């Protein structure tokens, strides 16, 4: 079939039933405000509540819009370097990390090491400076909350984060902050909300439904502020927003509904900020001036005609400037702001227009976490759910058209990489690019963007909340997936630190406390052009003061339980504010400095050598079967009475890890 007739047939098929259902109940005439009559009194609500990124979709709602192209038309570029925007931004950011890094190193105090003098020397040559990244894994709300605990402890703005034992300033010293699936909700929420601290988001504000996880995502926010009054209205709004996009001529999938629902909890704006775009982060003053890290979300490509996402799947990233992949398959990037323009072989035809507003923040967060589409489907259609029937019908109609095996996809149509790298890009011949949850290839920690040699990252703090074992604790599977992938042609020569098997992780307690991998740069055999990968600081979810192994499929958490899990994540990040190891903050600083030490030929201070001998995996393997892994409190049970914890999965639940 000819490509464009395929396109037409496909969009017609997709639009018909669900838009009929929607328009029967939600007549949208040109005089109706974009959000329907319920919001009329709030207009222009997006301007009233504008504390963050920006509701800059030209439509003013969830729909993408055809716009005249800028004088210099956007194009797809080869992945043979970083974008000029990222390169320019890095100059500002690296400089902005100097002061917080000096302060952090001074405070954690590495005996025998003069942090001020070292940093002063680096001021004349930025490449001496440690280049730090943080990666937050998938794992639904568990990953969001556990990851939040780490980020809170690393954030100098948070109460007590600069007290003895904590890591405040590490976040301010970091260049990159990547999230995947549930970890992407955390990173996305922080950046859509003006780089708010975890403490601010956790504590919320009157009338805001941000981080109110006690209200199930299926029930919607309870608060009367910001226009939401009841569950029916919430779902009507979600359906209304998605039909805005469909009515504008774009395919919609379950991911659109899921992403919209998520946004009510993650974006502090009326109706979950339907006009907030991911690319608007680039316009944020504090981001643009290099005062915040560089946020990245990760998703996997699903090759046309396949349903299995293997380790060979193309890994895509979204950043404020670009979306695309370093993998030798797609090997290209497109400006995030213009992703739904009709690119063909990397360019927009001479008479072609541009499209803006496809990169809705909720849609991008939903794409990275599309595995939860199934969770949405199960819950909205279950008996006892009060989701309006036409909304359930609209969502299930979408699914019937796509097919059951497609319930986890996010459709990027038109495919920005159409006709791009035809020889290697599996989607090059297709009008549609299908993306799925970034953890579907088992690489449940977003390390891929951070190991790219062009980014020259020195150290990655990898917070892992995967549910690998029977009791939903991680066992290193995510790291092993990335390690195994590094041997394939798909890795294009990018190395990854060696990691052992799952039993070794358990037997050596590598998943019971922080562990470092790839400590010794000399242990990497480098071919011409290859560089050693970053040092990996693995921070596994473990029970320090609360049982943080909550099921991926729990849809609501009382505030007390949310706070306990965030606090447990803090205790994991800080080893109980140093109670388990008073040297821990020093060891974090040593890990951050390690590659910089070798680059500059600086002798490793004794305190750091001690840290490395206690936290670096030294290559020992102990793969004897450990049996069921059931850790006990590493500090003590500090669970608040109001928090109810459920550490085991219900018998009928599937077993997703991310
Ligand atoms: C965003 O945060 C910065 C730094 O905290 C603050 O100065 C600025 O006013 C905030 N912007 C908005 C729009 O709230
Ligand atoms: C900057 O430092 C790096 C090592 O980190 C060194 O290779 C390079 O030559 C230095 N550049 C200058 C201009 O000193
Ligand atoms: C900060 O630390 C002090 C001293 O340990 C403690 O009393 C206080 O509760 C802490 N505050 C918060 C918000 O954790
Ligand atoms: C949410 O937005 C409102 C309105 O801009 C603001 O006053 C409030 O502080 C924000 N709340 C949080 C938790 O960011
Ligand atoms: C990575 O892949 C691209 C595209 O296939 C190729 O041009 C480039 O040389 C590769 N880089 C390395 C280091 O192999
Ligand atoms: C993109 O191409 C499709 C199919 O040919 C067409 O319907 C649509 O109007 C085009 N969009 C733009 C913005 O040019
Ligand atoms: C480790 O986790 C994987 C799932 O990610 C699981 O299949 C495997 O059985 C686990 N192994 C151990 C020893 O826990
Ligand atoms: C992945 O690609 C490698 C070649 O790099 C191939 O040997 C392997 O079979 C592929 N694996 C899958 C699951 O497709
Ligand atoms: C560590 O400090 C934080 C912040 O003050 C606090 O919430 C937490 O309970 C402390 N952890 C322990 C084990 O005392
Ligand atoms: C390597 O680590 C193992 C266990 O973690 C330890 O028993 C062993 O002594 C270490 N080996 C060396 C050479 O440090
Ligand atoms: C050193 O490299 C070898 C070969 O890649 C690997 O098997 C071993 O695990 C590495 N050791 C450490 C401690 O990473
Ligand atoms: C921890 O304490 C809470 C509240 O006191 C209690 O409900 C819970 O059962 C305890 N958890 C464990 C695993 O002992």
């Amino acid at each position: 079939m000819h490509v464009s007739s395929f396109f037409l047939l496909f969009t017609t098929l997709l639009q018909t039933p669900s838009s009929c259902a929607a328009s029967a109940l939600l007549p949208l005439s040109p005089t109706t405000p974009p959000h329907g009559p319920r919001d009329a009194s709030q207009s222009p609500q997006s301007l009233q509540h504008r504390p963050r990124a920006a509701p800059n979709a030209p439509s003013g709602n969830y729909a993408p819009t055809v716009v005249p192209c800028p004088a210099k038309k956007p194009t797809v570029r080869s992945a043979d370097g970083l974008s000029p925007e990222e390169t320019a931004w890095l100059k500002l950011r690296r400089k902005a990390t100097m002061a917080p890094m000096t302060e952090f190193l001074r405070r954690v105090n590495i005996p025998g090491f003069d942090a001020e003098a070292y940093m002063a020397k680096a001021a004349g040559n930025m490449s001496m400076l440690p280049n730090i990244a943080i990666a937050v894994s998938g794992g639904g709300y568990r990953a969001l909350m556990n990851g939040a605990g780490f980020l809170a402890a690393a954030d100098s703005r948070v109460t007590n984060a600069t007290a003895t034992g904590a890591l405040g300033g590490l976040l301010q010293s970091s260049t990159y902050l990547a999230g995947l699936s549930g970890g992407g909700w955390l990173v996305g929420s922080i950046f859509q909300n003006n780089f708010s601290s975890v403490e601010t988001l956790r504590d919320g504000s009157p009338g805001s439904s941000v981080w109110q996880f006690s209200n199930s995502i299926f029930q919607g926010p309870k608060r009367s502020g910001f226009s939401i009054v009841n569950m029916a209205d919430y779902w009507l709004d979600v359906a209304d927003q998605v039909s805005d996009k469909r009515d504008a001529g774009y395919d919609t999938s379950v991911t659109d509904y899921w992403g919209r629902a998520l946004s009510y909890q993650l974006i502090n704006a009326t109706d979950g900020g339907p006009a907030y775009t991911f690319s608007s982060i680039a316009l944020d003053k504090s981001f643009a001036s290099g005062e915040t890290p560089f946020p990245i979300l990760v998703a996997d490509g699903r090759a046309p005609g396949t349903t299995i996402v293997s380790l060979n799947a193309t890994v895509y990233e979204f950043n404020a400037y670009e979306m695309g992949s370093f993998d030798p398959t797609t090997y290209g990037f497109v400006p995030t702001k213009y992703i739904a323009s009709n690119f063909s072989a990397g360019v927009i035809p001479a008479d072609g227009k541009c499209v803006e507003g496809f990169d809705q923040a909720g849609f991008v967060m939903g794409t990275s976490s599309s595995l939860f589409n199934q969770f949405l489907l199960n819950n909205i259609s279950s008996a006892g759910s009060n989701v309006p029937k036409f909304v359930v019908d609209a969502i299930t109609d979408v699914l019937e058209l796509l097919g059951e095996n497609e319930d986890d996809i996010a459709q990027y149509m038109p495919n920005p990489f159409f006709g791009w790298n035809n020889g290697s890009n599996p989607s090059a011949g297709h009008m549609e690019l299908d993306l799925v949850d970034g953890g579907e290839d088992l690489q449940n920690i977003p390390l891929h963007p951070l190991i790219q040699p062009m980014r020259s990252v020195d150290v990655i703090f990898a917070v892992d909340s995967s549910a690998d074992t029977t009791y939903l604790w991680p066992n290193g599977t995510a790291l092993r997936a990335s390690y195994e992938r590094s041997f394939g042609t798909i890795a294009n020569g990018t190395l990854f630190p060696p990691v052992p098997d799952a039993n070794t992780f358990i037997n050596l307690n590598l998943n019971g406390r922080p562990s470092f991998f790839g400590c010794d740069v000399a242990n990497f055999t480098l071919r011409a052009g290859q560089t050693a990968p970053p040092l990996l600081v693995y921070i596994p979810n473990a029970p320090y003061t609360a049982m943080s192994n909550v099921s991926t499929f729990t849809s609501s958490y009382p505030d007390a339980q949310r706070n306990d899990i965030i606090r447990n994540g803090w205790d994991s990040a800080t080893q109980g504010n140093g109670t388990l190891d008073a040297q821990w903050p020093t060891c974090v600083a040593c890990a951050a400095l390690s590659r910089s030490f070798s680059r500059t030929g600086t002798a490793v201070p004794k305190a750091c050598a001690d840290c490395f001998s206690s936290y670096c995996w030294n290559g020992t393997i102990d793969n004897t079967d450990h049996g069921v892994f059931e850790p006990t409190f590493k500090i003590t049970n500090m669970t608040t009475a109001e928090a109810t914890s459920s550490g085991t999965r219900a018998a009928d639940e599937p077993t997703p890890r991310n």
Side-chain angles (χ1 to χ4, degrees):
M1 193 188 298
H2 187 262
V3 167
S4 58
S5 54
F6 173 79
F7 179 94
L8 285 174
L9 173 66
F10 208 61
T11 39
T12 316
L13 275 173
L14 274 182
Q15 280 177 49
T16 313
S18 33
S19 16
C20 284
S23 47
L25 280 122
L26 286 176
L28 284 181
S29 70
T31 52
T32 313
H35 298 280
R38 285 176 308 281
D39 290 336
S41 63
Q42 298 256 328
S43 204
Q45 77 282 4
S46 53
L47 294 176
Q48 273 166 18
H49 303 290
R50 195 205 167 290
R52 57 195 67 76
N56 69 338
S59 61
N61 61 39
Y62 188 63
T65 311
V66 177
V67 296
C69 288
K72 190 173 175 293
K73 273 194 179 171
T75 56
V76 178
R77 69 166 184 95
S78 160
D80 59 1
L82 300 180
S83 66
E85 292 83 2
E86 182 174 344
T87 303
W89 178 89
L90 280 167
K91 290 211 175 72
L92 301 172
R93 179 59 184 163
R94 298 302 299 280
K95 196 175 270 169
T97 61
M98 294 241 1
M101 206 183 291
T102 309
E103 168 62 17
F104 172 71
L105 295 175
R106 197 194 49 72
R107 200 176 55 246
V108 301
N109 183 31
I110 303 173
F113 173 72
D114 186 343
E116 266 104 344
Y118 191 85
M119 294 297 286
K121 227 163 70 192
N125 182 351
M126 290 290 165
S127 74
M128 283 177 66
L129 267 186
N131 191 9
I132 304 172
I134 300 173
V136 188
S137 81
Y141 291 101
R142 180 183 64 248
L144 183 156
M145 297 184 287
N146 182 52
F150 180 89
L151 293 187
D155 185 346
S156 56
R157 301 169 300 175
V158 170
T159 309
N160 286 350
T162 53
T164 307
L167 307 177
L170 185 66
L171 180 62
Q172 281 70 24
S173 305
S174 298
T175 309
Y176 295 102
L177 175 56
L180 180 159
S181 201
W185 307 348
L186 172 65
V187 173
S189 184
I190 287 173
F191 278 88
Q192 288 300 320
N193 295 298
N194 192 26
F195 198 62
S196 288
S197 73
V198 162
E199 191 174 32
T200 301
L201 293 167
R202 181 198 65 193
D203 295 347
S205 57
S208 167
S209 49
V210 79
W211 287 35
Q212 295 301 301
F213 308 135
S214 59
N215 306 320
S216 153
I217 191 164
F218 305 112
Q219 313 284 318
K222 282 206 187 71
R223 305 205 177 199
S224 58
F226 287 48
S227 91
I228 293 302
V229 285
N230 62 41
M231 180 163 136
D233 270 1
Y234 162 67
W235 280 107
L236 288 170
D237 279 333
V238 166
D240 193 358
Q241 293 163 6
V242 177
S243 62
D244 283 341
K245 176 173 175 180
R246 196 163 38 230
D247 293 347
Y250 297 87
D251 290 347
T252 55
S253 45
V254 182
T255 306
D256 287 277
Y257 293 93
W258 172 245
R260 285 318 309 148
L262 270 177
S263 299
Y264 282 77
Q265 299 187 333
L266 302 178
I267 303 179
N268 176 29
T270 302
D271 296 341
Y276 280 74
T277 63
F278 198 77
S279 57
S280 74
I281 294 169
L283 306 174
D284 183 277
K285 267 208 197 93
S286 49
F287 169 79
S289 61
E291 286 159 49
T292 76
F294 190 88
I296 304 176
L297 262 55
V298 167
D300 292 339
R302 194 160 90 178
T306 68
T307 53
I308 304 292
V309 175
S310 79
L311 263 181
N312 286 349
T314 301
V315 177
Y316 286 84
E317 72 169 58
F318 290 85
N319 65 57
Y321 301 124
E322 294 189 320
M323 175 269 188
S325 180
F326 286 107
D327 285 339
T329 46
T330 301
Y331 203 65
F333 284 90
V334 66
T336 307
K337 186 177 173 182
Y338 294 113
I339 43 178
S341 311
N342 282 337
F343 291 95
S344 178
V347 297
I348 296 170
D351 57 345
K353 296 236 172 58
C354 284
V355 175
E356 271 186 48
F358 192 90
D359 64 314
Q360 304 291 350
F363 186 58
V364 173
M365 292 189 279
T367 299
S368 180
S369 63
S370 70
L371 205 65
F372 289 85
N373 288 351
Q374 187 63 56
F375 186 36
L376 173 73
L377 289 166
N378 289 345
N379 278 275
I380 56 162
S381 43
S382 70
S385 151
N386 292 316
V387 178
K389 185 173 181 308
F390 100 86
V391 176
V392 176
D393 290 348
I395 301 175
T396 43
D397 279 354
V398 163
L399 197 61
E400 269 161 31
L401 286 160
L402 283 171
E404 290 291 332
N405 288 334
E406 310 287 341
D407 61 8
D408 63 340
I409 63 166
Q411 288 167 288
Y412 285 71
M413 174 105 130
N415 170 11
F417 302 104
F418 178 71
W420 178 258
N421 283 339
N422 292 322
S424 55
N425 169 9
S427 300
H430 296 256
M431 289 302 290
E432 176 178 324
L433 171 67
D434 289 343
L435 298 183
V436 297
D437 193 293
E440 285 198 33
D441 62 354
L442 295 188
Q443 297 191 94
N444 200 29
I445 313 177
L447 300 168
H448 183 275
L450 308 175
I451 58 173
Q452 297 306 317
M454 280 172 291
R455 288 206 162 113
S456 311
V457 170
D458 289 331
V459 60
I460 306 173
F461 291 87
V463 186
D464 191 4
S465 310
S466 302
D468 292 328
T469 66
T470 310
Y471 290 104
L472 316 182
W473 303 106
N475 69 16
T477 296
L479 296 184
R480 257 184 321 278
S482 296
Y483 179 47
E484 276 162 28
R485 193 178 194 266
S486 74
F487 296 107
T489 50
I490 189 77
N492 206 14
T494 297
L495 297 174
F496 194 85
V499 291
D501 62 283
N503 279 308
T504 297
F505 261 82
I506 298 171
N507 292 330
L508 300 187
N509 199 29
L510 301 172
N511 65 338
R513 63 168 207 160
S515 325
F516 301 175
F517 297 93
C519 289
D520 182 9
V521 268
N523 194 43
F524 294 97
T525 314
L526 306 177
R527 288 198 315 263
Q530 272 185 327
T531 50
L535 188 159
L536 205 57
V537 176
Y538 183 59
I539 315 274
N541 180 27
Y544 286 84
T545 53
M547 283 292 162
S548 51
N549 55 337
V550 290
S551 162
T552 309
F553 282 148
T554 300
S555 61
S556 70
Y557 297 85
D559 289 354
Q561 188 181 18
R562 174 197 63 191
N563 298 351
D564 281 353
I565 297 174
I566 294 176
R567 193 202 56 233
N568 185 74
W570 173 300
D571 284 325
S572 159
T574 64
Q575 294 298 288
N577 305 316
T579 52
L580 293 173
D581 176 5
Q583 298 313 306
W584 170 244
T586 303
C587 294
V588 166
C590 292
L593 284 159
S594 173
R595 293 287 191 262
S596 171
F597 284 156
S598 23
R599 199 159 51 233
T600 57
T602 306
V604 176
K606 162 126 194 347
C608 288
D610 290 347
C611 286
F612 298 149
S613 69
S614 85
Y615 289 101
C616 292
W617 175 61
N618 65 11
T620 300
I621 302 283
D622 176 359
N623 57 8
T624 52
D625 185 0
H626 181 280
V628 175
F629 175 65
E630 198 172 2
T632 52
F633 290 109
K634 297 186 184 299
I635 298 177
T636 181
N637 185 2
M638 288 169 62
T639 307
T640 323
E642 308 85 58
T644 54
S645 180
S646 52
T648 48
R649 170 195 303 140
D652 58 345
E653 270 186 16
T655 57
R657 305 166 49 258
N658 47 337

